[in-house]
Amino acid sequence: MTIKLRFSYLLVLLVLLLPGFAASAQQERAPYTGSNRIFIALEGPTSRYEFSSNQMLVRHNKATQKLECILPVATLLPLNDSIPPAMAFEVLFGAKYPQLYINIDAPVQKISAGNLTPETIRRTTSIGLQGVNNETVVPVAFTSENNSLYFSTSFDLMLDNFQASLPIEYAPLLTGRILISIDNARWINLEMR
C-alpha cells in the first residue's frame, strides 16, 4: 500500500469518528439552566450603583462538584435612571472580559438530598473577574426539590483583591467594593426527567 493510500484511509476514518466523539462529549456535559437573576452593586463613597440581570446561566459540573454560574456582563442593567447604563460593563471591563464567572462548591449529596427546607452552608466559591480568579468562602442557602436545586448567596469583594482597576472616569465615584447577590437561582437536572 502506498503512503498516499494509507493517508487517505486514515483521513476517512478520522472524518467518520470525529462526529461520534463530539456527540459523546456533548452528552457528558450537563446543560445550563437560564433566566437566573443576579444583583450587582458598585459601592460609592455616599451611594450604591445597582444593576441586575436575569441572564445568568447555571449548571452543575459533576467532575468538579461545583455550580458553575456565568453572567454575560453586557446584560447588567441599571436599577435607576440616574445611573450611567454602561457603568457596570465598563467597570467590569466587559469589552475584554465579557463574562463574570462564579463557581460554588455543591457536592452531589447536597443536590440529591431532597430537602424542602433551606440550609445555609459556608462554601468555597471561586470568582473570575477581569481575567483573575480568586477564592473566598461565602454563605450559600441551598434548597433541593424534585430534580431542581435552588440557591441564594450574598457576598462582597474588592477589586484590589483581583489586581483589578477602575476606569479613570469612575475612580472618583466608586470605592472598588462590589456587592453580589444571587436570589433563588436554580439548576434543573434534565437527566432525571
Side-chain angles (χ1 to χ4, degrees), residues 10-75:
L10 181 61
L11 189 59
V12 169
L13 185 61
L14 282 174
V15 169
L16 292 174
L17 291 178
L18 280 178
F21 288 133
S24 68
Q26 288 176 354
Q27 289 173 356
E28 290 176 15
R29 296 194 79 158
Y32 284 98
T33 301
S35 301
N36 294 294
R37 184 170 291 252
I38 185 170
F39 295 93
I40 294 183
L42 306 174
E43 187 179 72
T46 58
S47 63
R48 289 184 179 167
Y49 301 89
E50 297 176 327
F51 299 83
S52 74
S53 171
N54 63 353
Q55 300 300 311
M56 186 176 74
L57 301 174
V58 176
R59 79 170 171 200
H60 185 262
N61 185 324
K62 288 181 185 177
T64 62
Q65 298 212 11
K66 291 182 184 291
L67 284 171
E68 298 176 341
C69 306
I70 298 176
L71 172 68
V73 175
T75 65

Side-chain angles (χ1 to χ4, degrees), residues 49-52 75-88:
Y49 301 89
E50 297 176 327
F51 299 83
S52 74
T75 65
L76 286 167
L77 299 173
L79 296 181
N80 185 322
D81 290 341
S82 64
I83 298 172
M87 183 184 220

